[in-house]
Amino acid sequence: MKNTIAMSKWSRDSYSVDVRFKEKYRRFIKKWLEKYGWHFYKELSGGDVQHFTSLHLPSENNIRSFCEQMLIFVKATVDSLMEEMLIKDQPKVENEKGIIKLQHYWGIRNVPIPDLITFLRNLHDLRSGMMAHRFSNSNKNFQKAMGFFDLKEDSYRRVAHDIFVKSLYTLNTLGKYF
C-alpha cells in the first residue's frame, strides 16, 4: 500500500522544471481568468497547443534544441501577452510593445517588479537575436541578453533550465501580486 501511494504521488507531482512550468502556467491563466474575467495570455490554438504540450528542457546541449524550445517558450509567454487588456482604459502610446505595456500595467498598480521586466526583455531579445532575425554580433540587445543569461556554446541546457526557473518565479510573483 505504501508503494502505491508513493507511486501515485510521483505521478502527480513532478520535480522536473519544465513540467512544473507548464502546470503553473495553466493554473495561473485559469486563476487569472476567474479573478479578472480576461486572459492574461492569449489562448493557445492550433499548432501552438501542440507546441506548448511538447515544451521541455532540451535533452541535448546544442543550439538547435535550445532554439526550438525557446521559440515555443517565448511564443507562449511574451508574444502571447493580452496586450489589448493590459492597456485598456489607458492612453494609447504609439509603437508601444507588449513588455512595455506590461510594465505600465504593473506600474499603474504600484507593483515594483523591475527584475521581471528585465528578465522578459532579455528573453525576448535572446529569441529575436537567435531565431527571429538574422544572427549578428553587432546586435547589442542580443549581446546584452547573452550576457544576462551567461549563454555560451556549452551552456544551452543550463540556460534553458534557468529560464524555466525564472519563469516559474515570474508566474509565482504575478500570482502573489494579483
Side-chain angles (χ1 to χ4, degrees), residues 30-48:
K30 181 180 178 190
K31 287 180 181 180
W32 183 277
L33 179 61
E34 289 169 358
K35 184 170 183 176
Y36 296 103
W38 56 276
H39 293 276
F40 186 81
Y41 293 115
K42 294 174 185 170
E43 290 184 89
L44 299 173
S45 60
D48 290 337

Side-chain angles (χ1 to χ4, degrees), residues 111-129:
V111 178
I113 46 180
D115 292 344
L116 295 183
I117 294 296
T118 300
F119 165 67
L120 293 173
R121 280 192 182 131
N122 280 294
L123 183 60
H124 184 266
D125 290 344
L126 185 68
R127 187 282 317 245
S128 294

Side-chain angles (χ1 to χ4, degrees), residues 8-70:
S8 66
K9 179 166 178 37
W10 177 83
S11 67
R12 279 187 268 124
D13 296 335
S14 175
Y15 294 103
S16 176
V17 69
D18 49 355
V19 174
R20 285 186 303 161
F21 168 76
K22 290 190 289 187
E23 290 170 355
K24 183 70 174 179
Y25 180 92
R26 288 182 184 112
R27 283 193 311 269
F28 172 78
I29 59 175
K30 181 180 178 190
K31 287 180 181 180
W32 183 277
L33 179 61
E34 289 169 358
K35 184 170 183 176
Y36 296 103
W38 56 276
H39 293 276
F40 186 81
Y41 293 115
K42 294 174 185 170
E43 290 184 89
L44 299 173
S45 60
D48 290 337
V49 173
Q50 293 170 338
H51 286 135
F52 185 78
T53 300
S54 70
L55 181 63
H56 63 277
L57 186 62
S59 57
E60 298 177 25
N61 192 40
N62 64 52
I63 193 168
R64 180 174 177 242
S65 297
F66 178 81
C67 287
E68 287 172 352
Q69 295 310 303
M70 292 304 104

Side-chain angles (χ1 to χ4, degrees), residues 74-90:
V74 172
K75 187 187 283 191
T77 57
V78 177
D79 293 348
S80 290
L81 288 170
M82 187 62 81
E83 295 181 27
E84 309 81 47
M85 296 304 290
L86 292 173
I87 59 167
K88 188 177 178 184
D89 302 325
Q90 301 301 316

Side-chain angles (χ1 to χ4, degrees), residues 14 16 38 71 81 103 108 118-119 121 138 142 145 154 158 164 167-168 174 177:
S14 175
S16 176
W38 56 276
L71 187 60
L81 288 170
Q103 184 176 12
I108 290 167
T118 300
F119 165 67
R121 280 192 182 131
S138 64
F142 174 56
D154 63 346
R158 179 194 51 78
F164 275 104
S167 295
L168 276 166
L174 289 172
Y177 280 110

